[in-house]
Amino acid sequence: MFQKGISLFALFLAGLLYTDVHAQEGGNLSAYETPKTYTLGDINVTGKFNYNPQTVVTFTGLHKGQKITVPGEELSDALKKLWKLGFFKDINIYETSIVNDTINIELALNELPRLNDITIKGYKKAKSEALIKEAKLTKGKIVNENLLSTTKYFLLNKYKKDGFYNTKITINTVATDSTNKKANMIIGIDKGKKVRISEIKFEGNKELTDSKLKSAMKDTKERSPFNPMRIFKPSKFINTKYEDDLTKLVSKYKENGYRDARVIADTTKFDAKTNRMAINIKVEEGNKYYFGDIRFIGNTVYTNSQLKRILGIEKGEVYNGVLLDKRISDKTNPDAYDISNQYQNNGYLFSNVNPVEVRTANDTIDFEIRIMEGPIAKFNNITVKGNNYTHDHVIHRDLRTRPGEIWSKALVMETIRRLGQLNIFDAQAIVPDIQNPDPAAGTVDIEWSVAEKGSSQVELQGGYGGGGFIGTLGLSFNNFSVRNIFNKKAYHPFPMGDGQSMALRLQGSSYFQTYSLSFTEPWLGGKKPISFFGTVAYSKQNLYDYYTRRTDKSRGFNITTVQFGIAKQLTVPDDYFVLSHTLSFQYYDMKNYNTGLFTFGDGASRNLSYQIELRRDNRGNDPIFPTYGSFFSISGKFTPPYSLFNNVDYKNLENQQEYKWQAPANYKDPVTGLDIPQGAYLNANGQRVNNWEDAAANRGLVDQKRFNWLEYYKLKFKGDWYTTVYDKLVLRSVAEFAFMGSYNKDRGMVPFERFYLGGDGLANFSLDGREVIQLRGYQNQTLTPINERGEQLGGTIYNKFTLELRYPITLKPSASVYLLSFAEAGAAYDSFKNYNPFELKRSAGLGVRVFMPMFGLLGIDFGYGFDPATGQTQKSGWQTHFILGQSF
């Protein structure tokens, strides 16, 4: 391009001289072999370009009336300035006329095309847009060699940083039409395979072995024949992580007393044929040191002994620079028990703690911990931004950073956790912006930045099961506003802003329907953290013949449920505790529904219960993927002890006349075939007896009386811990225990409300109030006690234990994805007599979870059961579990 410009400039000079000669000397060229000075007249800009002509003239530096020499530097400089812009592919300068000593010229330009559209082959739209934005490719840019080369360099460098050393980039441009004013850019990216690390060698290490140094490099691992399939830390070379690992390598030495250790040289050798990288690291270890005297300077708030207890380092211990830094101020854990947090959590925002080496004698280092305490600070102005739909009061009531209160870093961290637990905002995007810290006034402002995420979820399922098609529609709203139902402006797309929760769920098939509506107000009255919640549900089940696939709507079982409760946030022992009270009532109505589920097919049972629960929840920060904290719950569910005051002798019900077996209408003797009058008493063989005392008890009538008002109690415990093992790897530990008992042994244990263990827990519906307990690696509810006929009884006791390792792939607002591996064990028992906490059904497996705001939590697990299910002899083996809207 530049060669073409130079030749054009030469032609321009020749043409100009030729024109000049003919205009004045009638073709005598010799007269213009020397430069001549002119006054510049008109400058006419022609050709294909998008700029204002006057702007182009301004670019050249030329102006009318200027003295120029032809040939000379003025036109040469103008030409250089236009080429330097990089906007044109052709530039020509012509003389149009000469009048006396005034020369008029023409600038003929052909502008380069402008960028119209960018396509990245093989990439999805979202990823392409992100990459285009990162490369700063915007429509309207001039498509020149510089743009093409810088784009290619950027992409090559980007993928090289991610470990793709063999990336190939192709960039082509295509004109959109014949005018050539616009061009589309087509980018081809072949990343190739990531570079693997063939080996890591060390030189100069005598005190720490190669294996210890390799273990210190957390993200740079060499390929191992004994561990070729690394799950979380594969042997890929990524330069940025490699640089971080060199720092960690030095830190490993400092942990072991080698304060002066350093990396004096490191080389990486890439083999393109094998796509392998060999690393060689040379270290200088230095001497081993020990802690000497440690003095505290400047502390007036806390005594030396108090600070020494926090520091936890004694004279004579091996020097550990990493530990010293963490005990002073742990940057990796904002909630750490260190000296800086001791000040920061008690008002001293402006405090500063620095360890200073004051003396080194042989192998001993003396330290002074210099403390500048500063004044106590208080929160001043507290503001919130980013809540486009959520009302301010919903956020402010959960803020622990309130104007006038003493500054505390712990309160800032607790506010982050509480806002994340609202499930309204993206927990990863909650940021406290510390503003206007004023040591003189002792004040600080905070602006809380939040990003609202999708607050509604849709559950839409359809499938074939239980002999027919089953459809489910569920809607849940996490930021509902009841008071704005009639305010059209508050619909986005439903009335939003008050932090209330509402859920509607409909499920049905040809033989059953279930409807439920629930609502939660987290701050009843708006002044105190007392929540109100309620649920209304109705289920209708008709008798279904699985062989003929016909539904008998004259025979059915209906359940009506009403439940209300309140929960109060406590302040003692701390404000993580919540005490809740729930009152619920279920009405079970059976009409000729003899299916074997219960011993009676006609009648009703009523379940009036009170539940009290004390729980403590400090999981944080993200409710979808907690990385620390725990959840504990202990609860009791009780029905009134009716048998204490209803004067019913449950032990002798079978011996009372009204509960004896009587012949129904049109009944015949099973042996003789003779008609037996309606109301006649029958024995256990179904034959007539003369006296009611000799008749058999009618089990259906007896149980109808025993269970007309359900009588039982339940005690439950659950502990759920989250621990960050390393980086983003989180260990979840869960322990559960529950027991169900009766007040009156003569009345017995009710067949309702029992525990059914095993599987994924996605039961379509439940007619007996059972609690389904998930235990992966087994089919649904197959770890439940059975009777001698192989029928499930339901457990009255269960315990379950879970260990789960979780690793996040992404925690973005649009979708959170994490992988998991698990090991579980549990069992259910029909009585304490058979309870054995060490006889457990074991399983292990892998899974994945995806949380999308619109659809909630989705997932799939592959679990292997190591033991046989209840009543089976073969181990359960591999089972697949689909997870919808629940968390184990």
Side-chain angles (χ1 to χ4, degrees):
M1 184 179 291
F2 283 99
Q3 290 178 349
K4 185 176 182 181
I6 294 171
S7 64
L8 288 171
F9 183 63
L11 289 172
F12 149 72
L13 289 177
L16 187 61
L17 289 173
Y18 177 80
T19 303
D20 215 29
V21 168
H22 276 266
Q24 300 193 34
E25 294 270 344
N28 187 0
L29 297 175
S30 60
Y32 291 91
E33 291 178 356
T34 58
K36 186 175 180 180
T37 302
Y38 293 94
T39 300
L40 185 60
D42 293 332
I43 305 172
N44 187 28
V45 183
T46 63
K48 298 176 181 179
F49 57 92
N50 292 311
Y51 293 98
N52 183 289
Q54 186 58 45
T55 303
V56 176
V57 173
T58 303
F59 285 154
T60 66
L62 300 175
H63 58 86
K64 190 173 182 178
Q66 178 183 353
K67 296 292 184 181
I68 63 172
T69 302
V70 180
E73 293 183 356
E74 295 86 0
L75 293 180
S76 177
D77 289 344
L79 192 64
K80 289 178 181 178
K81 289 177 181 178
L82 291 176
W83 279 119
K84 191 174 182 181
L85 292 173
F87 295 164
F88 309 102
K89 61 180 178 180
D90 289 314
I91 305 173
N92 293 289
I93 304 178
Y94 301 103
E95 168 264 313
T96 57
S97 65
I98 296 177
V99 180
N100 299 322
D101 63 347
T102 299
I103 185 169
N104 300 312
I105 65 173
E106 175 187 350
L107 297 179
L109 308 176
N110 192 357
E111 190 179 58
L112 287 165
R114 292 181 177 270
L115 189 59
N116 179 54
D117 190 32
I118 308 102
T119 301
I120 301 180
K121 294 188 293 185
Y123 279 62
K124 293 183 179 180
K125 183 179 179 182
K127 193 170 183 179
S128 292
E129 289 177 350
L131 197 57
I132 290 169
K133 184 178 180 180
E134 196 175 351
K136 298 180 180 179
L137 294 173
T138 56
K139 289 185 178 182
K141 271 194 172 184
I142 294 292
V143 181
N144 55 22
E145 290 296 333
N146 181 61
L147 178 67
L148 299 180
S149 61
T150 54
T151 300
K152 186 174 183 178
Y153 175 79
F154 167 79
L155 293 173
L156 287 171
N157 194 50
K158 170 183 171 57
Y159 286 105
K160 188 175 182 180
K161 287 180 179 178
D162 292 336
F164 296 96
Y165 273 61
N166 293 318
T167 301
K168 296 178 180 178
I169 306 292
T170 59
I171 302 178
N172 296 314
T173 58
V174 180
T176 58
D177 53 35
S178 59
T179 63
N180 204 30
K181 288 185 177 181
K182 293 183 179 180
N184 294 330
M185 181 182 288
I186 302 170
I187 303 174
I189 301 175
D190 180 9
K191 295 190 298 184
K193 294 182 179 180
K194 277 192 174 183
V195 174
R196 302 281 179 172
I197 301 171
S198 58
E199 62 177 352
I200 302 175
K201 290 184 177 180
F202 295 96
E203 294 181 36
N205 58 311
K206 296 179 181 179
E207 302 300 330
L208 296 185
T209 63
D210 287 3
S211 60
K212 283 187 177 182
L213 296 181
K214 288 176 182 179
S215 66
M217 303 178 72
K218 302 299 182 183
D219 295 299
T220 307
K221 302 291 184 182
E222 67 182 357
R223 190 174 179 85
S224 170
F226 304 105
N227 186 18
M229 296 298 291
R230 298 181 186 271
I231 298 176
F232 298 117
K233 300 297 179 185
S235 57
K236 297 176 182 178
F237 181 82
I238 300 175
N239 191 64
T240 54
K241 292 185 177 181
Y242 170 63
E243 295 294 335
D244 291 340
D245 279 338
L246 290 179
T247 302
K248 292 174 183 175
L249 190 69
V250 175
S251 296
K252 187 68 175 178
Y253 271 104
K254 290 185 177 181
E255 288 178 357
N256 289 272
Y258 297 93
R259 180 196 63 174
D260 301 327
R262 61 193 181 102
V263 174
I264 57 177
D266 71 286
T267 57
T268 56
K269 186 177 181 181
F270 175 61
D271 187 342
K273 292 182 179 179
T274 61
N275 200 41
R276 297 285 186 267
M277 182 77 76
I279 300 174
N280 189 76
I281 301 172
K282 189 175 183 180
V283 299
E284 184 178 82
E285 294 178 324
N287 298 323
K288 189 172 185 177
Y289 291 91
Y290 298 85
F291 284 112
D293 293 326
I294 300 176
R295 299 175 56 215
F296 294 94
I297 305 296
N299 55 306
T300 61
V301 179
Y302 301 104
T303 64
N304 290 346
S305 59
Q306 288 176 315
L307 296 178
K308 282 183 178 179
R309 281 197 298 269
I310 299 173
L311 188 64
I313 297 174
E314 298 294 336
K315 182 178 181 179
E317 291 184 5
V318 174
Y319 171 82
N320 186 335
V322 175
L323 178 63
L324 178 63
D325 289 341
K326 286 187 175 182
R327 296 291 171 81
I328 297 296
S329 180
D330 190 347
K331 300 295 190 298
T332 63
N333 181 9
D335 296 320
Y337 181 61
D338 56 46
I339 293 177
S340 291
N341 276 350
Q342 186 69 20
Y343 278 96
Q344 289 285 324
N345 291 337
N346 290 279
Y348 293 92
L349 168 65
F350 308 105
S351 61
N352 190 16
V353 183
N354 289 309
V356 178
E357 295 183 14
V358 293
R359 181 174 177 270
T360 301
N362 297 323
D363 60 355
T364 302
I365 305 174
D366 295 339
F367 282 89
E368 284 184 357
I369 310 298
R370 297 176 182 176
I371 302 172
M372 184 184 72
E373 295 176 332
I376 288 181
K378 293 185 177 181
F379 296 111
N380 190 25
N381 294 319
I382 308 297
T383 56
V384 179
K385 70 174 183 178
N387 54 318
N388 299 321
Y389 304 122
T390 307
H391 299 139
D392 286 347
H393 74 271
V394 174
I395 303 173
H396 281 279
R397 68 194 184 190
D398 273 301
L399 296 181
R400 291 298 177 266
T401 55
R402 293 169 181 161
E405 293 194 1
I406 293 177
W407 161 268
S408 171
K409 182 181 175 183
L411 292 179
V412 175
M413 299 305 300
E414 174 61 12
T415 298
I416 294 175
R417 190 193 72 83
R418 288 184 179 272
L419 292 180
Q421 291 289 336
L422 290 177
N423 210 19
I424 297 173
F425 309 109
D426 173 20
Q428 306 298 321
I430 299 172
V431 179
D433 184 11
I434 310 300
Q435 299 179 343
N436 307 320
D438 187 349
T443 59
V444 62
D445 300 335
I446 297 184
E447 182 179 69
W448 287 97
S449 178
V450 298
E452 291 172 326
K453 64 180 182 178
S455 298
S456 59
Q457 296 176 10
V458 177
E459 178 188 2
L460 185 61
Q461 299 180 49
Y464 191 84
F469 179 82
I470 300 172
T472 302
L473 173 63
L475 300 173
S476 63
F477 311 104
N478 295 325
N479 193 10
F480 200 75
S481 177
V482 171
R483 65 189 176 95
N484 284 317
I485 287 181
F486 301 106
N487 181 6
K488 293 182 180 180
K489 294 181 180 180
Y491 278 71
H492 305 284
F494 58 91
M496 295 178 63
D498 282 338
Q500 299 161 345
S501 299
M502 180 172 284
L504 173 66
R505 197 169 191 269
L506 311 175
Q507 188 177 60
S509 71
S510 61
Y511 58 93
F512 85 91
Q513 297 88 41
T514 299
Y515 316 91
S516 67
L517 176 67
S518 60
F519 174 78
T520 301
E521 166 55 73
W523 282 64
L524 185 62
K527 295 183 178 180
K528 293 184 179 181
I530 299 176
S531 64
F532 169 82
F533 51 89
T535 299
V536 178
Y538 177 75
S539 298
K540 182 178 181 180
Q541 167 86 16
N542 295 115
L543 191 64
Y544 181 77
D545 191 321
Y546 288 92
Y547 297 101
T548 64
R549 296 188 178 181
R550 292 180 180 177
T551 302
D552 186 352
K553 294 188 177 182
S554 66
R555 305 171 67 184
F557 180 18
N558 302 331
I559 306 174
T560 303
T561 302
V562 179
Q563 176 180 289
F564 295 99
I566 60 171
K568 181 180 181 180
Q569 180 181 311
L570 306 179
T571 57
V572 178
D574 58 44
D575 58 4
Y576 295 124
F577 280 88
V578 173
L579 180 65
S580 66
H581 309 267
T582 306
L583 188 65
S584 62
F585 177 76
Q586 287 88 33
Y587 182 73
Y588 303 91
D589 182 22
M590 284 166 280
K591 182 180 180 182
N592 197 19
Y593 194 78
N594 295 288
T595 63
L597 182 64
F598 307 109
T599 56
F600 55 94
D602 283 290
S605 289
R606 302 158 186 83
N607 183 9
L608 177 64
S609 64
Y610 162 73
Q611 178 173 307
I612 182 171
E613 179 188 20
L614 180 65
R615 64 179 182 270
R616 185 182 189 272
D617 186 0
N618 71 331
R619 293 172 293 182
N621 288 329
D622 192 337
I624 304 303
F625 191 83
T627 57
Y628 66 88
S630 60
F631 172 86
F632 288 95
S633 170
I634 183 169
S635 65
K637 187 175 183 180
F638 309 92
T639 64
Y642 302 106
S643 58
L644 294 180
F645 50 78
N646 62 7
N647 297 319
V648 176
D649 186 1
Y650 292 102
K651 186 176 182 179
N652 293 310
L653 279 181
E654 298 179 356
N655 300 323
Q656 297 179 27
Q657 184 177 359
E658 60 183 303
Y659 300 109
K660 294 294 185 177
W661 189 11
Q662 294 177 279
N666 302 319
Y667 183 79
K668 295 181 182 295
D669 189 299
V671 177
T672 65
L674 298 176
D675 291 335
I676 297 178
Q678 183 178 357
Y681 292 100
L682 306 175
N683 62 19
N685 296 321
Q687 296 179 295
R688 183 176 182 176
V689 294
N690 295 324
N691 299 316
W692 69 266
E693 291 91 345
D694 298 325
N698 187 325
R699 176 53 56 185
L701 291 177
V702 171
D703 284 349
Q704 167 66 78
K705 184 63 177 177
R706 290 172 62 205
F707 305 132
N708 62 344
W709 283 92
L710 301 184
E711 182 179 281
Y712 64 91
Y713 64 90
K714 275 184 178 180
L715 301 175
K716 296 169 63 177
F717 167 81
K718 181 176 181 179
D720 193 355
W721 296 264
Y722 296 84
T723 306
T724 298
V725 179
Y726 170 74
D727 193 22
K728 299 178 182 179
L729 186 64
V730 176
L731 174 66
R732 183 192 184 201
S733 310
V734 185
E736 299 179 50
F737 174 82
F739 169 71
M740 181 178 181
S742 63
Y743 301 119
N744 188 333
K745 66 177 182 179
D746 294 329
R747 192 171 190 181
M749 189 69 68
V750 299
F752 298 83
E753 296 280 340
R754 297 197 177 193
F755 308 114
Y756 287 75
L757 184 67
D760 50 32
L762 292 179
N764 290 323
F765 56 92
S766 174
L767 298 177
D768 53 6
R770 68 182 58 180
E771 289 191 41
V772 179
I773 313 301
Q774 304 95 338
L775 199 153
R776 292 161 284 188
Y778 298 88
Q779 294 185 8
N780 284 357
Q781 305 178 32
T782 55
L783 302 182
T784 301
I786 59 177
N787 59 21
E788 62 277 2
R789 297 186 299 276
E791 299 170 339
Q792 287 187 339
L793 299 174
T796 60
I797 306 172
Y798 88 88
N799 49 211
K800 175 190 167 186
F801 307 94
T802 301
L803 289 176
E804 195 171 271
L805 276 174
R806 297 175 166 190
Y807 190 84
I809 302 301
T810 177
L811 296 175
K812 294 181 179 179
S814 56
S816 296
V817 182
Y818 63 87
L819 304 176
L820 61 88
S821 61
F822 65 86
E824 291 188 313
Y829 313 88
D830 59 357
S831 66
F832 251 127
K833 181 180 179 181
N834 298 322
Y835 177 66
N836 185 341
F838 303 105
E839 276 191 16
L840 303 173
K841 304 295 184 180
R842 303 158 298 161
S843 68
L846 303 169
V848 63
R849 296 289 183 274
V850 178
F851 178 84
M852 292 184 289
M854 190 65 180
F855 298 100
L857 187 67
L858 309 173
I860 184 171
D861 289 332
F862 302 96
Y864 186 87
F866 296 104
D867 302 294
T870 304
Q872 303 296 317
T873 57
Q874 298 292 325
K875 63 177 61 177
S876 177
W878 285 104
Q879 303 289 335
T880 302
H881 306 289
F882 294 95
I883 313 303
L884 298 173
Q886 60 180 322
S887 178
F888 286 92

